[in-house]
Amino acid sequence: MQDKKIKKIVLAYSGGLDTSIIIPWLKENYDNPEIIAVSGDVGQGTELEGLEEKAIATGASKLYIEHLTEEFIKDFVYPTVKAGAKYEGEYLLGTSFARPIIAKRIVDIALAEGADAICHGCTGKGNDQVRFELAIKAFAPQMKIIAPWRIWDIKSREEEIAYAEAHNIPLKINRETNYSKDKNLWHLSHEGLDLEDPANEPTYEKPGFLEMGVSPMQAPDKPTYVTISFEKGEAVAIDGEKLTPVQVVEKLNELGGANGIGLCDLVENRLVGMKSRGVYETPGGTILYRAHEILETLCLDRDTQHYKALVAQEYADLVYFGKWYTPLREALQAFVDKTQEFVTGDVKLKLYKGNIINAGTTSPYSLYNPEFATFDEDEVYDQKDSAGFINLYGLPLTVRAMMLNSLKK
């Protein structure tokens, strides 16, 4: 396994179970190379505490902590929300669109440091290996990639814990709380342990399981109202207060979490072909998606709204499959941005025990015209016009029916 040409490795480092043991493993198996750890801060909060000390103590020469949260929300999350992209109709892509921005920054550092290889801790079963490596190939196509999970002898998270204990590597987990988790400002995912059996109900009410909010059963008995203001498809204010994209997500996380919003128990189809079960917490994101969808019902014409739903599905697949830095994703973004020119207005929502209830929507560009839509008397719509329209609209059916009837004679 040893490649003596590899003298310097840049490692995508989270400080979690996988990357905690990868540093000493690389030292042992690649002739003691220099390991430079890189952590991307996309809003995972306290998970970054003590990371530099831990990385260096386990063998890294240095740790870069790259603060990417603003860019993450503005340039990755907001474009995806505007697209209305949900993988398989439910998953709000919390892990998926966090990987490209982190991977690109790792490439930047690897090139600046003159690294011989980039290493990541993704498993050979997961989607993240694809997301990381496609981003690396987009910006450093000749860079060697090391993926320990595809070549080492360790076969399970249980064996990883044993390796860490044998090498005196401190962990924040134990065998009983060994869920595989991924956290950023947008979401928190839970996989593994009892969740691997879809027959098991998630332990939402169990202390310590949920981290971004409470279960709907534990939410207040009184609803919370919130008004979100949009400009060209992007949320810019909450309850009249102008906020940055990060502040919008933070505020909606707070409101959504308190009201049991945004829990998703999903069996999804991974890129590599297998099905996997995960539980996702996306309190603010779920509110933001719903508010944006409601506003679009006022501001988009029928044909654009229907076609955009098809684009949303393709966009979600691209993001989930790690194809953020591709011509097609960029082209679809251009279409999405065009559709958002008049998606401006206010959406009032009622949050109650896991539910998001529409409580009123306004827009200066609303296409909803009460005079046309009313069931009462109006002066703008002549109902007799519909007869000719239906005759023309149904002409292909009429002609076909006449042909079939002629065959029966």
Side-chain angles (χ1 to χ4, degrees):
M1 186 185 300
Q2 288 192 7
D3 186 342
K4 296 186 181 299
K5 295 180 181 178
I6 296 179
K7 302 295 185 184
K8 184 182 292 189
I9 301 171
V10 170
L11 169 65
Y13 185 75
S14 68
L17 178 57
D18 295 322
T19 57
S20 291
I21 69 171
I22 281 176
I23 293 177
W25 184 87
L26 289 172
K27 289 282 192 179
E28 292 173 358
N29 289 275
Y30 284 88
D31 198 24
N32 197 32
E34 180 184 1
I35 309 296
I36 298 172
V38 180
S39 293
D41 177 8
V42 284
Q44 57 267 54
T46 58
E47 290 186 7
L48 296 171
E49 293 177 3
L51 217 55
E52 182 175 14
E53 179 183 356
K54 180 177 179 179
I56 293 174
T58 52
S61 63
K62 66 177 81 169
L63 171 69
Y64 287 89
I65 295 181
E66 300 296 291
H67 298 289
L68 307 172
T69 309
E70 287 282 354
E71 183 182 351
F72 170 53
I73 300 298
K74 183 177 183 297
D75 296 339
F76 290 78
V77 173
Y78 267 29
T80 307
V81 174
K82 289 192 294 184
K86 302 177 184 178
Y87 183 66
E88 298 187 332
E90 290 191 74
Y91 175 43
L92 302 187
L93 299 164
T95 301
S96 308
F97 48 34
R99 297 308 185 230
I101 183 175
I102 295 171
K104 183 175 186 303
R105 188 57 59 92
I106 289 170
V107 169
D108 293 341
I109 291 172
L111 294 175
E113 287 278 359
D116 303 304
I118 291 175
C119 178
H120 64 74
C122 308
T123 73
K125 289 184 176 182
N127 301 304
D128 281 344
Q129 59 180 333
V130 182
R131 297 165 184 156
F132 269 111
E133 293 186 30
L134 290 189
I136 293 169
K137 292 179 185 299
F139 298 103
Q142 306 305 318
M143 181 68 67
K144 183 175 178 60
I145 298 172
I146 300 173
W149 264 107
R150 300 204 289 252
I151 54 178
W152 63 15
D153 294 329
I154 297 173
K155 302 300 182 184
S156 67
R157 289 176 66 83
E158 184 79 15
E159 291 184 11
E160 285 188 290
I161 293 175
Y163 184 97
E165 291 172 346
H167 289 74
N168 298 314
I169 299 171
L171 299 174
K172 294 182 179 180
I173 62 172
N174 56 51
R175 287 172 171 80
E176 287 70 40
T177 60
N178 186 19
Y179 287 107
S180 176
K181 296 188 179 186
D182 179 81
K183 186 177 183 180
N184 56 49
L185 184 62
W186 184 250
H187 93 151
L188 173 64
S189 64
H190 310 256
E191 292 180 311
L193 296 181
D194 56 307
L195 298 179
E196 290 191 344
D197 185 349
N200 292 330
E201 180 182 3
T203 55
Y204 293 135
E205 283 79 37
K206 183 179 179 180
F209 181 76
L210 297 179
E211 297 182 26
M212 298 183 72
V214 300
S215 80
M217 299 287 290
Q218 297 166 323
D221 294 329
K222 181 180 178 181
T224 298
Y225 285 89
V226 60
T227 298
I228 305 172
S229 301
F230 290 85
E231 292 180 5
K232 294 185 176 182
E234 298 187 356
V236 296
I238 295 178
D239 293 331
E241 181 184 2
K242 288 283 186 180
L243 299 172
T244 67
V246 166
Q247 290 171 332
V248 166
V249 176
E250 289 175 337
K251 182 63 176 178
L252 293 180
N253 276 343
E254 176 187 333
L255 295 174
N259 286 279
I261 304 293
L263 299 180
C264 178
D265 180 0
L266 178 64
V267 174
E268 66 200 63
N269 291 293
R270 285 184 178 175
L271 170 59
V272 295
M274 71 189 69
K275 291 183 181 289
S276 66
R277 195 268 190 102
V279 170
Y280 300 99
E281 299 180 57
T282 320
T286 302
I287 297 171
L288 195 58
Y289 262 85
R290 184 65 186 132
H292 181 261
E293 290 167 355
I294 291 170
L295 183 58
E296 282 191 327
T297 65
L298 285 188
C299 301
L300 295 187
D301 65 277
R302 180 192 64 197
D303 289 351
T304 300
Q305 186 176 348
H306 289 187
Y307 192 80
K308 185 172 178 287
L310 302 177
V311 171
Q313 180 175 325
E314 179 63 27
Y315 194 110
D317 286 353
L318 290 172
V319 177
Y320 187 87
F321 296 156
K323 296 183 177 181
W324 184 271
Y325 300 112
T326 60
L328 179 55
R329 205 281 309 171
E330 293 171 357
L332 293 184
Q333 193 67 59
F335 166 80
V336 168
D337 290 345
K338 178 65 178 177
T339 69
Q340 301 299 290
E341 286 183 333
F342 298 106
V343 182
T344 295
D346 296 333
V347 180
K348 185 178 181 181
L349 301 172
K350 179 163 65 174
L351 312 179
Y352 182 68
K353 291 189 177 297
N355 296 289
I356 303 174
I357 303 165
N358 187 1
T361 311
T362 61
S363 170
Y365 306 112
S366 173
L367 299 177
Y368 182 89
N369 189 315
E371 287 193 80
F372 282 99
T374 182
F375 284 96
D376 295 328
E377 182 179 356
D378 66 82
E379 298 180 358
V380 296
Y381 188 92
D382 188 343
Q383 297 196 29
K384 294 191 295 292
D385 290 343
S386 63
F389 160 72
I390 294 171
N391 286 336
L392 292 176
Y393 191 66
L395 185 59
L397 286 173
T398 301
V399 172
R400 183 174 184 274
M402 292 170 65
M403 179 273 292
L404 292 173
N405 288 334
S406 70
L407 295 177
K408 297 175 183 178
K409 296 178 180 179

